[in-house]
Amino acid sequence: MIDGGDADRQAQLLRGALDMCLLALLSQHPGHGYELVRRVGEAGFPSAGYGTIYPLLTRMRRLGLVAQEVQDSPHGPARKIYAVTGAGRERLADWTAQWNEFVNVVGRVLADDPSQARSRG
């Protein structure tokens, strides 16, 4: 779990990375909203609840990054199962490359080597 002690900073970091993390989790295994909230929490983001995940799924569906399929449930009403589309897999690859570059730059700056950080930017 990520816990830096600064709730506002934590929320900002989460907003910048949650869509990418949710897409990565869906690329590993499709799932319904309730399950995705649980999986995101288990991945280390316990503060990401239903009010965060469901709107994000809706936005990603509108962007064509995920598709939803209604499946019957043996224990109640039908569920919307979300899965990554081909466009979603491409976007995840792009975001992963951007994230890795970002982490490298921040790491170099934090290591007090800004000249190395600028050489790639």
Side-chain angles (χ1 to χ4, degrees):
M1 175 169 81
I2 297 176
D3 182 17
D6 183 344
D8 185 50
R9 179 61 142 186
Q10 174 66 28
Q12 290 175 16
L13 290 169
L14 182 60
R15 274 192 294 275
L18 187 58
D19 54 356
M20 178 176 51
C21 292
L22 185 57
L23 205 53
L25 288 172
L26 281 170
S27 74
Q28 296 165 7
H29 182 69
H32 57 83
Y34 177 81
E35 175 191 356
L36 292 168
V37 171
R38 180 186 55 77
R39 287 168 57 193
V40 166
E42 289 173 356
F45 302 109
S47 64
Y50 302 103
T52 303
I53 299 300
Y54 280 100
L56 187 54
L57 285 168
T58 299
R59 184 170 65 83
M60 291 193 310
R61 186 178 51 78
R62 285 187 191 142
L63 292 171
L65 305 177
V66 299
Q68 73 180 26
E69 177 183 317
V70 178
Q71 292 183 355
D72 290 333
S73 171
H75 306 291
R79 298 178 178 177
K80 293 178 185 174
I81 304 297
Y82 297 91
V84 176
T85 63
R89 290 188 189 286
E90 289 177 18
R91 181 72 56 92
L92 179 58
D94 291 343
W95 284 349
T96 300
Q98 289 173 348
W99 179 259
N100 289 334
E101 179 61 23
F102 177 76
V103 167
N104 287 334
V105 169
V106 171
R108 288 190 299 267
V109 170
L110 293 176
D112 197 27
D113 193 358
S115 65
Q116 291 297 317
R118 282 189 173 176
S119 68
R120 296 194 56 146

